[in-house]
Amino acid sequence: MEEFITSNLDRYQWLLDRFTMQPQPKVTPNSDSSLDNLVCARIRPLAEEEVAAGLPASIFIRSREPGTFDAHELRHAVRGKPVLRSSAYTVDRSYGPDISAETIYEDAVQHLVPWVWGGGIGTLFAYGQTGSGKTFTISGIEKLAAKDLLEGNLEGDRKMFISMTEFAGNSAFDLLNGRRAISVLEDAFGNTQLAGALEHEVKAVSEVLAHIEYATKFRLTEATKRNDTSSRSHAVCRIRIEIHDIPGAEDGFLYLVDLAGSEAARDRDTHEPQRMKEAKEINVSLSVLKDCIRGKVEADVLIGTQTKKKPYVPFRQSALTKVLKHVFDPAGTRVCKNVIMACVNPCLLDISASRNTLRYAEMLRVFVPQVKGVK
Ligand code: ADP
Ligand code: MG
């Protein structure tokens, strides 16, 4: 396939022209997006080596319809010249290759900060294939969120704690403790506990940055030692806000989740049993995550209503969603705000993976009909 594309590159000249001629839109929200379940997609810039190889970008944001991506793919024709197949995907917010972390943060994530400070639950998931910019996006946002939480003049007597864990299949590791193995347990009350995971109190942004740096280092060294585990595991940064000035207030939680590479779920070329097992587990966890997000959005709308409808939230079906139990538990009474950031490499060679990513993102846009009695 790669060879087919590179030998037909000249047919892409018009795309290249279009890309250079048409500036991509600045951030403009899609009008019907709700901040409670915000589905975004970010295109990363082409890498230097992709540009050097003459590979063009082939995913663009529509200038008149920000929120909609056009993806172009070169296909074999039965006879004659290869043909271009185009498809379109729509999300709530789209970010082109020149949009900064600060802009994305302000536009899509910042609203979670006062929410979790006040005892709410907020999540940010980065989804996409390996190399699409998930870690880049999450680490940029982690720093900005920490700065806002600790230096943003938020009121109240609160304490902030951080933990960083990694999930591969049903195993879990503490990234703030030398990647020590920890267990995911359910206690007698049905709450998920991470036995052995360390949680650190943080009082200054520099402390948060030091923890992130330490965790990233462990994730990366393990990854090189053990055949790139980082693309085949989920990393979860959890920030917990303890509220001392409101009696009985529940803790606020902000989860920043760097998901396993979406291509790992399709890793079927391997004959290694361990790899096949991992691929299956990743597949399950990403598809369970999708069902949980969809189900929970519905459940949140139904909170406080008389309806007997029970949305389907299969959070017990994967270690990742079990750990995020209080995000997804349909029996829970807390609304959770989600932000999903689909990360996309626009390079022509990655087009089919990028289309899968955008398709997954589209499925996370849930439109729940208004129910009577909901504020
Ligand atoms: P992933 O975590 O999805 O595997 P990374 O975040 O590691 O991908 O990104 C892959 C490469 O692309 C890295 O070298 C990263 O620095 C670069 N990159 C990703 N997103 C951007 C961006 N928005 N701007 C500049 N470079 C980026
Ligand atoms: Mg990564």
Side-chain angles (χ1 to χ4, degrees):
M1 188 62 193
E2 203 167 314
E3 196 188 312
F4 168 73
I5 290 173
T6 39
S7 59
N8 281 287
L9 267 186
D10 52 332
R11 295 185 201 282
Y12 263 90
Q13 196 53 49
W14 70 272
L15 267 183
L16 271 175
D17 293 346
R18 184 178 152 177
F19 192 54
T20 38
M21 275 156 47
Q22 269 199 20
Q24 291 282 276
K26 294 289 164 216
V27 179
T28 322
N30 212 0
S31 57
D32 54 16
S33 58
S34 133
L35 285 178
D36 287 357
N37 186 54
L38 196 60
V39 180
C40 317
R42 179 186 205 182
I43 304 183
R44 76 151 163 78
L46 285 174
E48 263 175 39
E49 57 277 15
E50 288 160 348
V51 175
L55 290 164
S58 63
I59 296 193
F60 308 94
I61 300 168
R62 274 191 202 166
S63 43
R64 282 167 204 274
E65 281 172 78
T68 296
F69 289 83
D70 285 309
H72 309 282
E73 189 170 12
L74 199 60
R75 290 275 185 87
H76 283 283
V78 180
R79 63 175 84 112
K81 294 177 186 169
V83 290
L84 259 192
R85 282 278 174 73
S86 303
S87 40
Y89 302 91
T90 301
V91 294
D92 300 318
R93 305 280 169 94
S94 57
Y95 306 106
D98 52 358
I99 305 292
S100 69
E102 284 78 7
T103 307
I104 295 180
Y105 174 73
E106 281 165 25
D107 194 52
V109 188
Q110 198 164 32
H111 68 280
L112 296 179
V113 164
W115 173 249
V116 300
W117 187 257
I121 302 174
T123 66
L124 168 68
F125 294 98
Y127 180 95
Q129 72 159 328
T130 299
S132 60
K134 295 182 297 299
T135 305
F136 185 92
T137 299
I138 289 282
S139 54
I141 302 266
E142 269 165 359
K143 290 167 198 163
L144 293 165
K147 191 157 186 289
D148 251 4
L149 282 164
L150 289 163
E151 295 174 356
N153 294 324
L154 293 161
E155 282 178 16
D157 178 14
R158 315 277 148 103
K159 281 187 175 170
M160 177 167 151
F161 299 85
I162 189 169
S163 72
M164 297 183 91
T165 40
E166 185 178 20
F167 297 88
N170 286 318
S171 323
F173 305 93
D174 185 352
L175 290 173
L176 294 185
N177 188 15
R179 205 171 176 276
R180 216 186 87 165
I182 48 178
S183 341
V184 182
L185 302 174
E186 200 170 322
D187 67 18
F189 304 101
N191 293 317
T192 314
Q193 304 290 349
L194 283 180
L198 296 182
E199 198 186 41
H200 302 259
E201 185 177 357
V202 278
K203 293 186 171 156
V205 175
S206 59
E207 289 170 17
V208 178
L209 298 187
H211 286 308
I212 294 174
E213 198 181 316
Y214 177 89
T216 312
K217 199 182 77 199
F218 264 101
R219 203 156 184 246
L220 290 181
T221 43
E222 272 305 311
T224 32
K225 260 198 283 180
R226 306 205 307 132
N227 211 346
D228 192 16
T229 44
S230 86
S231 67
R232 287 180 283 117
S233 62
H234 312 290
V236 180
C237 168
R238 182 180 91 169
I239 290 173
R240 182 170 67 87
I241 305 294
E242 226 172 60
I243 304 179
H244 292 270
D245 53 326
I246 305 171
E250 289 185 279
D251 292 350
F253 288 98
L254 177 62
Y255 289 94
L256 302 154
V257 186
D258 187 352
L259 292 168
S262 49
E263 82 291 347
R266 293 184 195 86
D267 202 354
R268 304 230 170 78
D269 298 341
T270 168
H271 296 290
E272 257 180 73
Q274 179 58 23
R275 271 290 184 98
M276 273 158 70
K277 189 162 164 269
E278 271 172 10
K280 192 164 160 244
E281 277 160 357
I282 293 167
N283 212 346
V284 168
S285 65
L286 294 175
S287 110
V288 166
L289 177 67
K290 177 186 80 213
D291 292 339
C292 286
I293 293 177
R294 292 183 59 90
K296 182 59 178 163
V297 171
E298 269 185 50
D300 282 354
V301 172
L302 299 178
I303 284 179
T305 67
Q306 299 301 316
T307 175
K308 295 219 164 56
K309 187 171 184 279
K310 286 228 172 66
Y312 174 62
V313 189
F315 70 92
R316 284 177 206 281
Q317 288 179 12
S318 86
L320 176 72
T321 45
K322 249 195 262 176
V323 165
L324 298 175
K325 178 176 188 270
H326 45 281
V327 173
F328 292 121
D329 189 358
T333 49
R334 302 173 74 181
V335 172
C336 172
K337 293 183 193 280
N338 302 321
V339 179
I340 295 98
M341 189 65 66
C343 297
V344 169
N345 174 2
C347 179
L348 181 55
L349 288 182
D350 284 315
I351 188 79
S352 72
S354 303
R355 284 180 40 189
N356 285 331
T357 296
L358 292 170
R359 196 175 299 129
Y360 183 94
E362 259 191 356
M363 287 190 286
L364 295 177
R365 295 181 81 206
V366 191
F367 300 101
V368 188
Q370 279 303 309
V371 185
K372 265 193 193 157
V374 180
K375 294 158 262 129

